């Protein structure tokens, strides 16, 4: 019998010598971590620091001297601040600045004339003082002398400092800060309606024996295939100033809250439906049998069994919808009218007013609800896992004519809404001149005759979506594999996982703006990709990273953890296992990731709207720009092109999946 | 005793001073062990005893915190799994689901610049070896659990490793298949002569398959020995208790080879405990010898041992367990404690043992073991 020693003896733990495989794995992991840092963490960081950086003219920094008419006798040096106090040349508002602001030095001297023989001297009181002479930079604490004609072109430059000034000025500008209330209100109302509609739909499709369930499931997926701008355009045609059903509006305008809510219900419905449907489909029949044996009424059973059973799904769906609405840009841009929403504010600040700092401030404010919703959703999802019991008996609905007809009616109503919106867009795209000449033609598809990028934009979108699907799938799947199937490196893997989850909490507008700050900086070595297809692909992959990552992770988690040790003991390199076993077994998930990325790349507007260039215009952005320019029918036509493309992509995906599965997954029997 | 332990061979695998810590928890504490070439060794112990940790350290899957491992004279302490020389079979089989049986077995052979024909021949041999030649084109999901386990074995043996590691290979199978596969694995191991380590928590499995058993508890090796040594001469109370059934009585040592229970004394196997110390006396139910009811004969039956170890007992309860009767016996000499004894059906019939009856039993002195400690 060995007597147990109680403490670990001193000494060092042996280190495992590194096999070539480990080097390859670590290299890949570093590469993909680097990708996420450069495409996500760094831009967000730059954006955050931008929102806190303020520019202000500090008049104490400058001292001036003025000569007499002979240019020989000089006045006492005076600081610009003192001069301003005397002359009231610049107000406090004038002194607030942006990064590009400049202030004429001549403001601080009396009776300036560029023809006078008077000479001027300028110096800084500290080294940081900067000015421009024309476009040549100047500065420093040594006196510099200018003749009046040159002095005319001297421009003082602001100093940068960090603080909450931008936020203070944001909240003291009601035109801006009202958007918070507007956005929250719209998101809340839309969420309530969407959840109710989606619950009815999911309940009908999971808990009744109504016919045509497959058809309704297909119809429910339609909104995913189009940009969120499209319901806005349809609503304009239906209820706008020349709309078919304008009378139904009873004098209210569709431009504004009403349009935003209806459109939001349209484009968020599939997301809410999928989540609630999953929650309702896992019901345990034994609970219903128990309720029936206790003679609970149908109504009581519904509130005590059905709703509590699906509550995590409902909460989760509510957060998803809330986040989608509050961060959406396309729809309020088209239908919002004068009603300001946060996401549109970012666009207006950046594109309209070139006020990047304020854009960053709005972005940070928009990040808060998104991050909050994301955190709550993660917590809820974690609890939901514990709710599922492996012994549950699946619930099978029994026929009930009246109830089934009710369900059918509800589904039909929703389907009419969804198909109607798309139908109206299709009609608008084909009609020659709404509402005067309702004859049909393909005139509106002649995109090359309009602004917005023409057919080239459409082909760019296809190229972008294909590249996103391919590059994104490779990056995401490899990254998920490294997180799930490598050992050691625990902290690194946890950090990687966090980065991979982050994009879900970052609204597209925020990501796009962060990219401007990060990549459009000439000092950044990655600057050359700004304005290229590459940055659009990187941005889109990152924007939709989280869902893809989770899909890959789920598939990988279902694989035996012992495959890797076995392959190692057989002295096989990991890439052989990866390509011969891991990838073929995960093929369905890989195809799902690529179609998800493709469809989203086709429809996304929010992030890429800041990043496209004249060479890389996109179809979804073209919809936005044509609508903006008043070419609404061509915008609808381009939106329909995106729809057709996504339908075809879905069909190809279904066909490909079936073919590949039949060939490589015979083992699934 | 079996052959393997009788003639010492040079150590093929030598583990010395192995420690493994997971944070504050010490999963292995100063483990040293030598395994000879061709030996079949079982690591046996309750869950959490460190047996799997030890196996994974040998495989290089979880590196030890301290200590060294030598295999065939080579220091493998810090080598990654791919640089070591072993085949491994897991409880889950870990067969690649998308590859056919023959591609699974060939997995370790391809990529080694062997000609295709040679690989095919080797795969054929291996499948024949595990008796599954007809299944080459099937997928793992089409085979039964036992068949899958044999494929996993064939795959591990394909590269002719110097060491075969089996991590609870039979626990996922149902009882009948398990017993059948035990023999088959043992047979295969003998045929191939490969040094084998199997981790198990099933003592029956360990006793029936191993040349030597390593009993572990709380990260420490309690005893290493052949199955019969472990069973008949447990060195610690834990081993006695873990392997087979035991009766345990608190006693005080009353001199060399003597111990006191309640008011009387018994003779026991030799030990080196000091007189007067507390100890625990252990006897297995099967080692209790029945001598029939006291009414049948005089005080001592013929052929019985010393008088001290003959006990007049009352049969309190009898439980029929198929192959034998389990009897619960009471006696003033045990105080309030009960002695459990297993008697063969023959003995019960021959001696007329029945519930409530009186009988005499013998506790053979060499089967009464003592260990230090208190219950």
């Amino acid at each position: 019998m060995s007597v147990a020693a109680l403490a670990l003896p001193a000494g060092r733990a042996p280190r495992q010598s590194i096999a070539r495989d480990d080097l390859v794995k670590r290299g890949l992991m570093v590469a993909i971590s680097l990708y996420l840092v450069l495409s996500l963490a760094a831009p967000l960081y730059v954006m955050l620091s931008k929102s806190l950086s303020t520019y202000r003219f500090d008049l104490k920094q400058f001292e001036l001297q003025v000569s007499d008419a002979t240019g020989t006798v000089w006045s006492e040096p005076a600081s610009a601040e003192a001069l301003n106090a005397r002359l009231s040349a610049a107000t406090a508002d004038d002194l607030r600045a942006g990064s590009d602001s400049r202030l004429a030095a001549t403001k601080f001297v009396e009776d300036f004339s560029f023809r006078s023989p008077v000479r001027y001297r300028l110096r800084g009181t500290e080294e940081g003082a900067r000015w421009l002479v024309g476009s040549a930079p100047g500065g420093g604490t040594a006196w510099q002398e200018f003749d009046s004609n040159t002095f005319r072109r001297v421009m003082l430059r602001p100093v940068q400092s960090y603080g909450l000034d931008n936020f203070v000025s944001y909240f003291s500008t009601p035109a801006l800060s009202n958007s918070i209330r507007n956005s929250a209100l719209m998101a809340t109302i839309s969420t309530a309606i969407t959840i109710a509609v989606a619950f009815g739909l999911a309940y009908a499709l999971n808990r009744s024996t109504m016919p045509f369930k497959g058809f309704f499931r297909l119809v429910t997926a339609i909104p995913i295939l189009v940009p969120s701008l499209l319901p806005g355009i349809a609503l304009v045609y239906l209820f706008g100033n020349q709309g078919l059903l304008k009378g139904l509006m009873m004098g209210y305008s569709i431009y504004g809250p009403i349009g935003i809510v209806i459109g939001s219900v349209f484009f968020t419905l599939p997301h809410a439906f999928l989540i609630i449907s999953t929650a309702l489909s896992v019901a345990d029949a034994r609970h219903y049998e128990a309720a029936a044996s206790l003679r609970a009424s149908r109504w009581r059973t519904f509130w005590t069994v059905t709703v509590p059973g699906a509550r995590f799904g409902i909460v989760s769906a509510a957060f998803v919808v809330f986040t989608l609405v509050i961060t959406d840009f396309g729809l309020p841009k088209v239908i919002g009218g004068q009603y300001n929403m946060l996401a549109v504010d970012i666009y207006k600040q950046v594109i309209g007013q070139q006020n990047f700092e304020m854009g960053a401030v709005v972005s940070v404010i928009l990040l808060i609800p998104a991050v909050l919703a994301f955190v709550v959703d993660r917590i809820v999802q974690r609890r939901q896992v514990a709710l599922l019991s492996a012994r549950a008996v699946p619930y099978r609905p029994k026929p009930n004519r009246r109830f089934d007809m009710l369900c059918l009616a509800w589904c039909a109503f929703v389907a009419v809404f969804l198909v109607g919106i798309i139908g109206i867009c299709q009609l608008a795209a084909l009609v020659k001149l709404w509402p005067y000449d309702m004859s049909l033609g393909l005139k509106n598809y002649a995109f090359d005759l309009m602004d917005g990028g023409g057919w080239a934009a459409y082909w760019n979108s296809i190229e972008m979506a294909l590249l996103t699907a391919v590059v994104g799938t490779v990056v995401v799947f490899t990254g998920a594999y490294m997180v799930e199937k490598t050992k050691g490196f625990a902290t690194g893997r946890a950090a990687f996982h966090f980065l991979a989850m982050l994009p879900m909490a970052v609204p597209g507008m925020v990501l796009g703006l962060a990219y401007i700050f990060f990549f459009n900086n000439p000092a950044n070595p990655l600057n050359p990709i700004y304005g290229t297809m590459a940055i659009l692909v990187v941005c889109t992959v990152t924007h939709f990273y989280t869902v893809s990552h989770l899909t890959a992770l789920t598939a990988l988690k279902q694989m035996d953890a012992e495959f890797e040790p076995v392959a190692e003991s057989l002295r096989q390199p990991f890439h052989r296992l990866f390509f011969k076993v891991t990838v073929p077994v995960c093929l369905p998930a890989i195809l799902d990731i690529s179609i998800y990325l493709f469809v989203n790349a086709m429809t996304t507007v929010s992030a890429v709207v800041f990043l496209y260039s004249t060479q890389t215009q996109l179809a979804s952005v073209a919809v936005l720009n044509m609508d903006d320019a008043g070419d609404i029918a061509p915008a609808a036509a381009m939106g329909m092109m995106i729809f057709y493309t996504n339908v075809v992509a879905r069909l190809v995906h279904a066909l490909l999946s079936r073919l590949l599965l039949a060939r490589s997954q015979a083992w699934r029997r | 005793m079996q052959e393997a332990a009788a003639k010492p061979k040079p150590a093929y695998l030598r583990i010395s001073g192995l420690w493994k810590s997971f944070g504050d928890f010490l999963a292995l504490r100063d483990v040293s062990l030598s395994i000879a070439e061709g030996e079949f060794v079982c690591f046996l112990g309750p869950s959490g005893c460190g047996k799997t940790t030890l196996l994974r350290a040998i495989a290089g899957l979880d590196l030890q915190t301290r200590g060294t491992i030598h295999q065939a004279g080579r220091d493998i302490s810090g080598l990654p799994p791919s640089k070591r020389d072993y085949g491994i079979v897991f409880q889950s089989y870990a067969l690649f689901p998308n590859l056919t049986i023959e591609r699974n077995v060939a997995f370790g052979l391809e990529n080694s610049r062997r000609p295709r024909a040679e690989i095919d021949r080797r795969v054929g041999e291996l499948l024949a070896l595990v008796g599954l030649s007809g299944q080459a084109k099937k997928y793992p999901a089409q085979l039964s659990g036992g068949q899958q386990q044999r494929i996993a074995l064939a795959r591990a043996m394909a590269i002719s490793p110097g060491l075969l590691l089996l991590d609870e290979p039979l626990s996922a199978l149902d009882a009948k298949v398990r017993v059948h596969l035990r023999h088959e694995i043992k047979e295969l191991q003998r045929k191939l002569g490969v040094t084998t380590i199997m981790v198990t928590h099933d003592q029956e499995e360990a006793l029936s398959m191993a040349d030597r058993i390593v009993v572990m508890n709380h990260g420490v090796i309690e005893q290493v020995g052949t199955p019969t040594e472990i069973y008949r001469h447990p060195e610690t109370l834990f081993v006695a208790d873990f392997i087979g059934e035991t009766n345990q009585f608190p006693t005080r040592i009353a001199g060399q080879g003597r111990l006191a229970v309640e008011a009387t004394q018994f003779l026991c196997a030799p030990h080196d405990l000091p007189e007067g110390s507390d100890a625990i006396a252990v006897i297995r139910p099967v080692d209790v010898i029945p001598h029939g009811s006291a009414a049948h004969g005089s005080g001592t039956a013929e052929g019985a041992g010393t008088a001290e170890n003959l006990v007049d007992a009352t049969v309190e309860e009898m439980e029929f367990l198929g192959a034998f009767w389990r009897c619960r016996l009471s006696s003033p000499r045990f105080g309030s404690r009960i002695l459990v004894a297993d008697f063969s059906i023959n003995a019960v019939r021959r001696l007329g043992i029945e519930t409530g009856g009186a009988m005499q039993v013998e506790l053979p002195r060499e089967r009464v073991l003592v260990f230090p400690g208190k219950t």
Side-chain angles (χ1 to χ4, degrees):
Chain A
M1 171 181 156
S2 58
V3 177
L6 288 174
L8 195 66
R12 283 182 46 195
R15 290 180 65 117
Q16 196 149 36
S17 54
I18 294 169
R20 211 181 61 220
D21 257 18
D22 294 322
L23 282 180
V24 174
K25 279 188 196 171
R26 281 179 203 187
L28 276 172
M29 192 133 145
V30 167
I32 291 186
S33 303
L34 201 65
Y35 171 87
L36 278 178
V37 166
L38 289 178
S39 72
L40 184 68
L44 284 178
Y45 175 77
V46 172
M47 194 204 69
L48 281 176
S49 72
K50 262 290 194 250
S51 76
L52 293 174
S53 87
T54 50
Y55 290 89
R56 193 173 52 79
F57 292 106
D58 183 4
L59 297 180
K60 283 198 296 294
Q61 276 189 320
F62 306 99
E63 264 187 346
L64 289 155
Q65 268 186 310
V66 186
S67 78
D68 65 357
T70 66
T72 51
V73 182
W74 291 91
S75 67
E76 281 297 302
S79 77
E81 190 183 30
L83 292 167
N84 191 37
R86 185 145 49 84
L87 299 172
S88 314
T91 63
D93 252 3
D94 293 337
L95 296 182
R96 214 176 282 140
S99 57
D100 279 338
S101 304
R102 44 202 71 180
L103 190 62
T106 53
K107 283 193 160 204
F108 302 100
V109 294
E110 281 172 292
D111 308 325
F112 175 78
S113 160
F114 64 93
R115 291 202 187 136
S116 82
V118 174
R119 297 181 69 82
Y120 299 88
R121 281 177 177 168
L122 174 65
R123 70 165 194 152
T125 55
E126 50 191 83
E127 283 299 330
R130 289 282 176 274
W131 60 80
L132 295 169
V133 183
S135 57
T141 51
W143 284 107
Q144 287 175 38
E145 202 174 313
F146 306 95
D147 60 36
S148 60
N149 195 30
T150 314
F151 191 63
R152 182 176 59 138
R153 292 162 55 222
V154 172
M155 295 288 168
L156 305 184
R157 294 283 284 127
V159 285
Q160 185 184 18
S161 62
Y162 288 94
L164 294 170
D165 291 8
N166 292 329
F167 287 88
V168 171
S169 74
Y170 176 85
F171 283 105
S172 54
T173 315
L176 288 173
S177 51
N178 277 347
S179 299
I180 298 180
R181 206 201 55 208
N182 291 353
S183 282
L185 187 68
M186 288 300 97
T188 310
I189 297 174
S190 307
T191 303
I193 298 176
T194 306
I195 295 299
V197 173
F199 187 88
L201 206 59
Y203 194 77
L205 289 176
N206 284 295
R207 300 294 173 82
S208 80
T209 53
M210 59 171 255
F212 313 122
K213 282 185 181 176
F215 168 76
F216 287 116
R217 276 181 197 278
L218 272 182
V219 168
T220 310
I222 286 180
I224 292 183
L225 306 180
V226 299
S228 63
L229 302 150
L230 215 59
I233 291 174
L235 291 174
V236 168
Y237 275 104
L238 279 174
F239 304 108
N241 293 332
Q242 295 171 333
L244 290 175
L245 306 171
K246 187 161 187 282
L248 288 179
M249 294 296 293
M250 293 181 291
Y252 290 101
S253 169
I254 190 72
Y255 294 99
I258 302 176
I260 295 176
V261 168
I262 301 177
S264 295
V265 170
F266 174 86
F267 89 86
T268 58
L269 191 62
H271 302 272
F273 169 76
L274 275 181
I275 297 170
I276 298 178
S277 183
T278 310
L280 283 176
S281 68
V282 297
D284 191 340
R286 294 173 306 174
H287 293 159
Y288 289 88
E289 283 157 11
S293 72
L294 292 170
R295 296 184 200 167
S297 69
R298 234 187 132 103
W299 184 245
R300 199 169 138 72
T301 308
F302 177 80
W303 284 106
T304 52
V305 179
T306 309
V307 172
R311 69 184 186 277
F312 288 121
I314 294 171
V315 170
S316 187
F319 276 106
V320 167
V321 172
F322 187 90
T323 313
L324 281 172
V325 175
I326 208 167
T327 60
D328 182 54
F329 158 70
L331 181 71
K333 179 80 183 62
V334 170
I335 198 89
Q338 300 304 311
Y339 196 78
N340 288 335
M341 298 272 285
L342 284 170
V344 183
D345 281 351
I346 300 180
Y347 182 75
K348 283 186 186 159
Q349 289 296 326
V350 172
I351 301 292
Q353 306 183 12
Q354 299 282 311
N355 188 343
F356 290 89
E357 283 76 25
M358 199 48 81
V361 169
V362 185
S363 295
V364 171
I365 288 167
L366 191 54
L367 260 177
I368 295 167
V371 169
L372 220 66
F374 167 76
V375 170
V376 174
D377 184 54
R378 294 315 302 168
I379 294 169
V380 169
Q381 298 232 332
R382 203 163 297 162
R383 300 225 356 231
Q384 179 159 29
V385 174
L387 191 79
L388 291 174
S389 117
R391 295 176 170 277
V393 180
Y395 175 82
R396 288 190 195 291
K398 292 179 197 66
N400 174 337
R401 212 182 132 68
R402 230 183 69 201
F403 177 66
D404 290 348
M405 283 302 121
L406 205 68
C407 288
L408 187 62
W410 179 247
C411 290
F413 168 72
V414 176
V416 165
F417 169 62
L418 297 178
V419 174
I421 294 274
I422 288 295
I424 271 299
C425 279
Q426 182 60 83
L427 190 63
L430 291 174
V431 161
K432 278 191 182 138
L433 190 59
W434 190 289
Y436 308 108
D437 179 0
M438 294 295 274
S439 60
L440 304 182
L442 289 175
K443 173 177 86 72
N444 291 325
Y445 285 83
F447 301 126
D448 287 336
L449 303 178
M450 341 264 168
D451 285 343
W455 278 98
Y458 175 73
W459 297 117
N460 279 339
S461 261
I462 300 269
E463 185 190 344
M464 203 270 273
L466 284 174
L467 280 171
T468 301
V470 173
V471 174
T473 306
V474 170
V475 169
V476 167
F477 191 78
T478 315
Y481 182 81
M482 293 302 151
V483 171
E484 181 60 28
K485 300 286 180 187
T486 51
K487 25 175 202 181
F489 248 11
T491 341
R493 282 189 297 156
F496 183 92
H497 188 65
F498 173 77
L499 278 180
M501 296 306 295
L502 199 54
M504 192 180 251
V506 179
M509 296 302 282
V510 178
L511 192 66
L513 185 58
Y515 271 41
I516 299 187
F517 290 137
F518 186 67
F519 289 103
N520 196 21
N521 178 355
N524 186 339
L526 293 169
N527 176 250
I529 76 162
Y530 192 76
T532 63
M533 182 59 86
I535 197 171
L536 295 177
V537 171
V538 168
C539 179
T540 310
V541 168
T542 309
H543 189 181
F544 300 105
Y545 200 98
T546 306
V547 172
S548 319
H549 178 71
L550 289 177
T551 309
L553 219 51
T554 309
L556 286 167
K557 273 190 200 298
Q558 286 167 356
M559 297 198 39
D560 198 326
E562 252 107 43
F563 286 167
E564 277 73 20
V566 164
E568 271 193 277
S569 77
L570 294 172
R571 292 166 221 151
Q572 297 300 312
F574 93 97
H575 60 79
R576 204 165 160 256
L577 177 73
F578 184 76
F579 289 114
K580 288 207 78 169
V581 179
T582 314
V583 170
V585 171
C586 291
L587 206 58
I590 291 174
L591 287 172
D592 285 350
I593 293 170
S594 51
I595 187 71
Y596 169 82
L597 287 172
F598 182 91
V599 167
N600 277 298
M602 284 304 292
T603 59
T604 188
V605 183
S606 55
V608 293
V609 74
F610 289 137
L611 301 173
Y612 71 93
S613 67
T614 43
Q615 278 80 46
T616 57
Q617 307 212 52
L618 298 172
S620 53
V621 178
V623 177
L624 177 80
N625 287 339
M626 289 194 282
D627 175 79
D628 224 17
D631 294 329
I632 306 184
M638 186 64 102
M640 290 313 291
M641 286 308 299
I642 295 176
F643 175 66
Y644 311 143
T645 310
N646 279 337
V647 169
V648 170
R650 277 287 179 96
L651 289 175
V652 169
H653 169 250
L655 200 73
L656 211 63
S657 296
R658 192 167 295 181
L659 276 177
L660 281 175
L661 291 190
R663 246 191 53 201
S664 69
Q665 309 239 328
W667 52 274
R668 277 190 209 270
R669 282 188 293 176
Chain B
M1 270 193 213
Q2 297 188 359
E3 293 287 308
K7 47 177 182 188
K9 291 182 189 171
Y12 175 74
L13 191 74
R14 203 172 74 243
I15 297 164
S16 34
L18 219 61
W19 292 73
K20 173 75 189 180
S21 63
F22 293 106
D24 284 344
F25 175 70
L26 289 172
L28 291 179
R29 291 188 283 172
D30 200 17
V31 169
S32 296
L33 178 69
S34 284
I35 295 173
E37 185 153 13
E39 234 185 329
F40 193 126
V41 172
C42 271
F43 294 170
L44 176 65
S47 61
C49 71
K51 55 192 191 301
T52 298
T53 310
L54 183 55
L55 187 87
R56 292 179 71 89
I58 295 169
L61 298 173
D62 286 325
L63 219 57
Q64 69 277 14
T65 319
R66 299 279 185 281
T68 57
I69 305 173
H70 287 78
Q71 182 180 359
R74 187 167 68 121
D75 185 354
I76 60 164
S77 313
L79 293 183
S82 53
K83 296 266 169 62
R84 300 189 182 198
D85 177 22
Y86 67 87
I88 191 163
V89 175
F90 290 103
Q91 183 180 345
S92 66
Y93 328 131
L95 292 179
F96 305 130
N98 62 321
L99 302 181
T100 57
I101 297 308
E102 58 179 351
R103 292 273 73 77
N104 259 287
V105 175
F107 196 84
L109 300 170
E110 292 162 348
N111 204 36
S112 56
R113 290 200 206 88
R114 279 177 223 233
R116 186 89 239 170
E118 193 192 317
I119 293 176
D120 288 346
R121 193 175 48 74
R122 176 88 179 124
V123 170
E125 269 173 30
L126 286 159
L127 287 178
L129 194 66
V130 296
L132 289 171
S133 294
Q135 319 284 344
K137 301 290 180 199
K138 287 189 178 168
Y139 287 99
Q142 293 166 290
L143 300 189
S144 70
Q147 289 173 319
Q148 289 187 38
Q149 193 55 288
R150 282 186 281 174
I151 297 300
L153 202 59
R155 182 179 62 182
M157 292 309 299
I159 55 169
S160 311
L163 181 63
L164 180 62
L165 305 178
L166 309 170
D167 185 4
E168 306 246 4
L170 304 174
S171 16
L173 301 169
D174 50 37
K176 273 231 169 96
V177 182
R178 198 151 61 203
V179 172
H180 176 70
L181 218 54
R182 254 188 224 164
H183 293 291
E184 219 164 295
I185 291 178
K186 180 68 190 158
E187 204 48 47
L188 199 71
Q189 189 266 342
R190 225 194 304 266
K191 218 182 311 176
L192 299 171
V194 60
T195 313
T196 302
I197 299 175
M198 181 170 96
V199 163
T200 180
H201 62 265
D202 181 338
Q203 44 158 312
E204 207 178 296
E205 212 166 282
L207 291 171
S208 68
M209 294 172 79
D211 295 329
R212 280 198 303 158
I213 296 175
V214 176
V215 185
M216 297 182 68
N217 189 30
H218 293 314
V220 174
I221 293 182
E222 293 272 341
Q223 186 175 358
V224 182
T226 63
T228 44
E229 277 170 352
I230 296 277
Y231 190 82
R232 296 191 65 83
H233 305 287
E235 286 172 6
T236 66
L237 182 60
F238 171 80
V239 176
D241 190 36
F242 187 71
I243 314 270
E245 314 257 348
T246 54
N247 290 288
Q248 296 184 18
F249 290 89
T251 68
R252 185 177 297 277
I253 302 296
Q256 183 46 249
R258 302 187 73 85
L259 46 81
V261 175
E262 299 292 325
T264 62
Q265 292 195 351
F266 290 87
L267 299 180
C268 65
H271 58 81
D272 46 15
L273 298 174
E275 192 175 331
S277 61
D278 287 322
I280 293 162
V282 167
I283 184 165
R284 297 192 188 283
V286 288
D287 286 334
V288 177
I289 301 172
H291 283 309
S293 62
H296 274 220
S298 53
T300 58
E302 69 265 44
T306 44
E308 285 96 326
N309 284 20
L310 282 174
V311 179
D312 290 317
T314 311
V315 181
E316 297 289 342
E317 204 180 305
M318 292 176 73
E319 189 183 356
F320 182 57
L321 291 176
F324 58 88
W325 284 91
R326 172 153 296 173
C327 303
R328 301 166 68 80
L329 311 173
S330 67
S331 160
R333 292 186 66 187
F334 304 142
S336 61
R337 292 190 176 252
I338 293 287
L339 177 76
V340 176
D342 293 344
F343 298 139
S344 70
I345 296 168
N346 271 333
V348 168
R349 194 183 313 127
R350 189 158 43 80
L351 300 172
I353 300 171
E354 55 188 13
T355 309
M359 68 178 297
Q360 195 172 47
V361 292
E362 182 190 349
L363 314 179
R365 81 175 284 181
E366 73 279 6
R367 306 301 328 137
V368 179
L369 308 171
V370 286
F371 299 100
K374 290 178 168 183
T375 43

